[in-house]
Amino acid sequence: LFAGGKDMPDLSAFPKSQQVTFKYHQGVLAFLEENYVAAEQHLTDAWNNCHKDAVRNKERILTYLIPCRLIKDHMLPTEKLLAQYPRLQKLFLPICRCIKRGELHNFDLALQEGEDELVKRRIYLTLERGRDLALRNLLRKVFIARGFEEAKEGEKPARRSRVPVTEFAAAISLGSQERIDNDEVECLLANMIYKNHMKGYISRQHGIVVLSKSGAFPGTGV
Amino acid sequence: AASGGDATQHLWEESWDDDDTSDDFSAQLKEELKKVEASKKR
């Protein structure tokens, strides 16, 4: 596809339908190479130029654009978008819902459920990485659920930023009903902090996580 | 043949929920957290 690229006329010299096809394949190739930045660019180009009635083609583009956006920008398709494409809805909706709600265990189940189809389309491994987002949203829910410190006079109430590891552990095992030990939870938490899904540090001595007072969960408004 | 252009904003959303804690799962979670806190005090 790329070979001889220099000998070819500019892409804009081709009919639009061919441009879209070319961009789609370029996007999928980049996607499979896990170059999600390039993939998103190509697929978005294809999407924007795709004929509005070419439903099957738009469906194909979205098959890769959705996982791409998920990993790169932490964006999910709206339910409205998915509703227009029943096949994609079946494929993505359960997974997206679980991510949004932070239902970690249900996320695992949804991924298992769709495994054959997702592997066939070669998006399984990419979507699997969405587990981090489900976990982030679950941990964030714990943080939100714990509410606020008593406000000092004249100050805005701050969220309670010191969270016992056991509370995160309870949240994680809530879905699966499997007990998970604190070391394993600490490991998950450390990973979250490392990946910048969560800001703060773990105090092993006290068994608590001290979360950042300004933006404990980057990009999520708290 | 342009499509989607204007509608793009409606097609994607951030990957987290708003701070609505009224769904079943949140309620369950709160119960669970209360239990943890209670067991600590004992």
Side-chain angles (χ1 to χ4, degrees):
Chain A
L1 186 67
F2 301 112
K6 283 190 189 107
D7 304 327
M8 271 198 326
D10 195 67
L11 190 63
S12 60
F14 292 90
K16 224 164 195 183
S17 59
Q18 289 180 21
Q19 289 178 34
V20 170
T21 311
F22 185 78
K23 281 289 175 189
Y24 165 74
H25 287 292
Q26 241 182 340
V28 173
L29 274 179
F31 180 89
L32 295 175
E33 287 167 0
E34 297 184 34
N35 184 352
Y36 297 118
V37 177
E40 187 185 15
Q41 191 55 54
H42 294 311
L43 291 169
T44 305
D45 282 352
W47 172 261
N48 287 338
N49 288 303
C50 190
H51 192 278
K52 65 176 171 24
D53 296 327
V55 178
R56 186 75 187 101
N57 286 348
K58 284 164 79 178
E59 188 180 296
R60 284 195 184 136
I61 295 169
L62 283 177
T63 305
Y64 296 94
L65 190 53
I66 290 172
C68 204
R69 285 250 158 102
L70 176 69
I71 294 307
K72 199 181 140 283
D73 307 319
H74 307 158
M75 298 288 266
L76 292 169
T78 57
E79 300 203 358
K80 214 171 122 198
L81 172 63
L82 288 177
Q84 297 166 43
Y85 308 92
R87 236 184 301 217
L88 296 182
Q89 193 177 36
K90 190 161 167 282
L91 207 57
F92 289 117
L93 188 60
I95 293 173
C96 290
R97 272 194 180 147
C98 293
I99 290 178
K100 223 179 135 177
R101 296 177 185 167
E103 297 180 6
L104 199 58
H105 183 61
N106 287 341
F107 173 86
D108 292 340
L109 295 180
L111 205 61
Q112 257 173 42
E113 178 79 15
E115 185 175 343
D116 290 346
E117 198 58 32
L118 297 172
V119 168
K120 210 165 87 189
R121 292 170 197 232
R122 298 197 271 183
I123 52 178
Y124 180 85
L125 291 173
T126 308
L127 288 177
E128 201 180 31
R129 288 168 57 181
R131 191 174 198 271
D132 278 350
L133 293 180
L135 178 59
R136 175 196 73 180
N137 291 344
L138 175 63
L139 301 180
R140 182 175 176 273
K141 277 204 162 165
V142 175
F143 179 61
I144 302 284
R146 298 184 82 253
F148 295 88
E149 305 271 10
E150 268 175 61
K152 291 186 198 95
E153 212 166 309
E155 280 176 29
K156 264 203 274 176
R159 290 196 180 276
R160 299 169 67 198
S161 57
R162 299 157 79 91
V163 186
V165 171
T166 47
E167 294 200 13
F168 284 132
I172 291 169
S173 52
L174 183 60
S176 61
Q177 296 298 329
E178 276 170 40
R179 270 200 59 77
I180 169 168
D181 60 52
N182 278 3
D183 287 345
E184 206 176 329
V185 175
E186 278 179 22
C187 174
L188 286 170
L189 293 172
N191 263 314
M192 283 287 113
I193 294 169
Y194 172 71
K195 291 178 183 166
N196 202 28
H197 286 313
M198 190 166 93
K199 266 162 70 182
Y201 63 89
I202 304 171
S203 165
R204 298 207 60 196
Q205 204 183 350
H206 299 103
I208 56 168
V209 180
V210 180
L211 291 168
S212 163
K213 288 207 195 293
S214 55
F217 293 86
T220 73
V222 290
Chain B
S3 81
D6 298 339
T8 308
Q9 303 91 299
H10 310 297
L11 303 181
W12 303 92
E13 60 188 350
E14 307 290 355
S15 64
W16 60 87
D17 216 334
D18 47 14
D19 295 343
D20 177 21
T21 49
S22 57
D23 59 300
D24 289 355
F25 184 71
S26 290
Q28 228 181 331
L29 184 65
K30 265 188 200 153
E31 283 305 305
E32 198 66 24
L33 293 183
K34 264 185 221 154
K35 269 188 243 165
V36 175
E37 213 152 332
S39 70
K40 221 170 30 187
K41 279 171 191 150
R42 247 183 278 137

